[in-house]
Amino acid sequence: MTPLHRPDAARRGRDRRARVLTPPPGARRIEGARPTTAVVGGGIAGLAAATALAERGAAVTLYEREPFLGGRAGGWPVDLDDGTPVTMSRGFHAFFRQYYNLRGLLRRTDPGLERLTGLPDYPLRHSGGPWDGFRRVPRTPPWSALGFVALSPSFGLRDLRRMNPVAALPLLDVRVPEVYERLDGTSAHDFLEAVRFPPAARHLAFEVFSRSFFADPRQLSAAEMVLMFHIYFLGSAEGLLFDVPCAPFPAALWEPLAGYLLRHGAEIRTSTAVETIVPAGDGGHEVATADGARRHDTVVLALDTAGLRSLVARSGRLGDGPWRERVARLRNAPPFLVTRLWLDRPVAPDRPGFLGTSGYGGLDNISVLDRYEDEAARWAARTGGCVVELHAYAVPPEASRETEQKRLIDQLHRVYPETRGAGIVDARHEWRSDCPLFPVGGYADRPTVRTPDPGVVVAGDLVRTDLPVALMERAATTGFLAANALLERWGVRGQTVWTVPDRGRGAVLRALAKWGRRSSY
């Protein structure tokens, strides 16, 4: 019998105030007949749910529409024009130290997280000239915020005098779900306008968080942006430095985890889209694919926004009317573009592996993959070139794709002028529009882990949960919580999860925030 993953192994961060949520007591494993679970979606949320269930003895079948696992952090093989086989993906992902549950999932096959490597800084550049970074900024709040202001060229004395400190007080004591009750009706843009942050600091320190949701700040709920600020900055002592996989996503992350699932008796069906789910008379569910239907006792819906909306619409008896209506109102964020270039010469040696940018048209960041990824490094060493990746978030839906692709490369030349004369050996442009939108006032419509059907649960970064998690960590956390909800039905103890502290750090900061709440009434 394989021992279960140690409940404390997911954390291993430096923040002593990290919060632990223990599941209800229960048996260690399922005894007797194994209940069957269909996990629909093989992204991070689905993999987390499948892992927790399979480890405890459930018979798991994982259905994934694509031929690869990992969802939006997946990868697939392509051949370059020079004949080199490489792995393409939807772009750069930062694995922050606050991602306790995602990192715990990865530790199943990489206990020391040796397939992740840390980048030395999180540099940010504005077209107006200022550069910022987080390498020298203290990690423990409130010194993190004070250190950033003191060290950042984006904050001048005149700028500080113009700010509205009362409007910024909600940042000092973020609580979930209270932050949604207070700020979900305000846009991220309007919140920042009220605070009157210096323009450059606003772009670098806040809109970077906002655009991480692939949304324009005018469309994004201020509650989501403020929660992000809490998770990464004022609420956590893990800091803003992060790790990246040192190999393409499939090799570094998902192929090892797939092997782990298979060893625990799971069945993985890639290239298999689920068409409908129909509740059965015995309490189970018929899961239909192009190959036929199969009955499962329970179902985990771990789909992206469009996939969940579409599957629920096709499955007319799933859930109840109000739940189905809320799912139907979910929306996708605007399109985004990932452009990867294989160039015939290197960028300057002092260029970082990752650079966040602002004020350069649609360009949001630049990655130099051969600085940290082994596959790209081998190609660069063999050819004398480099591999560069560009991101443009929240592209207007009506924009010309060819124009945006050209504009993105033109902005690269502005930021890294040495690339102007480089030849492009190959270029790949990936357009997607399947990230969840967290619009102003949309929190109430988002699904929770539990649904009206006790045998059906939902997981993913779109899911509403009363925990301070976001992005990939929200996906992993809700995946574990979805598994826990099913395991609780069977009397089995689920997965312990960790989060950053669920309120502001320090009595003084909380008191200031409380005073600010009173003064706003």
Side-chain angles (χ1 to χ4, degrees), residues 57 74 86 136 139 141 160 195 227 234 246 259-260 278 292 296 302 304 360 375 432 435 474 493 508 519:
V86 298
R136 295 187 298 138
R139 288 187 285 177
L160 292 174
V195 175
L227 178 63
L234 266 184
C246 57
Y260 180 86
V278 179
H296 296 274
D304 60 35
Y360 291 97
E375 182 182 273
R432 295 290 190 275
C435 295
R474 185 181 286 154
R493 181 181 173 88
V508 173
S519 67

Side-chain angles (χ1 to χ4, degrees), residues 16 118 181 184 204 233 279 345 463:
R16 295 182 179 180
E181 296 167 3
D184 194 48
L204 292 175
F233 207 63
R345 65 192 67 182
V463 170

Side-chain angles (χ1 to χ4, degrees), residues 104-139:
L105 176 66
L106 300 180
R107 288 184 191 276
R108 262 61 172 193
T109 63
D110 184 13
L113 295 182
E114 295 175 0
R115 293 195 289 268
L116 297 180
T117 185
L119 295 187
D121 198 0
Y122 183 172
L124 306 169
R125 177 176 175 179
H126 189 272
S127 59
W131 280 73
D132 272 304
F134 294 94
R135 180 174 58 85
R136 295 187 298 138
V137 174
R139 288 187 285 177

Side-chain angles (χ1 to χ4, degrees), residues 377-403:
R378 288 192 296 269
W379 186 89
R382 179 173 59 82
T383 64
C386 68
V387 185
V388 176
E389 186 178 276
L390 317 174
H391 285 201
Y393 303 145
V395 179
E398 68 278 6
S400 162
R401 291 193 170 188
E402 289 187 6
T403 300

Side-chain angles (χ1 to χ4, degrees), residues 257-280:
L257 191 58
Y260 180 86
L261 284 169
L262 293 173
R263 291 192 296 275
H264 281 78
E267 179 184 0
I268 299 175
R269 300 184 63 185
T270 52
S271 301
T272 305
V274 171
E275 297 177 350
T276 60
I277 298 174
V278 179

Side-chain angles (χ1 to χ4, degrees), residues 92 354-357 362-367 389-393 408:
F92 178 90
F354 175 85
L355 174 68
T357 58
L363 180 66
D364 284 288
N365 57 62
I366 303 173
S367 305
E389 186 178 276
L390 317 174
H391 285 201
Y393 303 145
L408 212 55

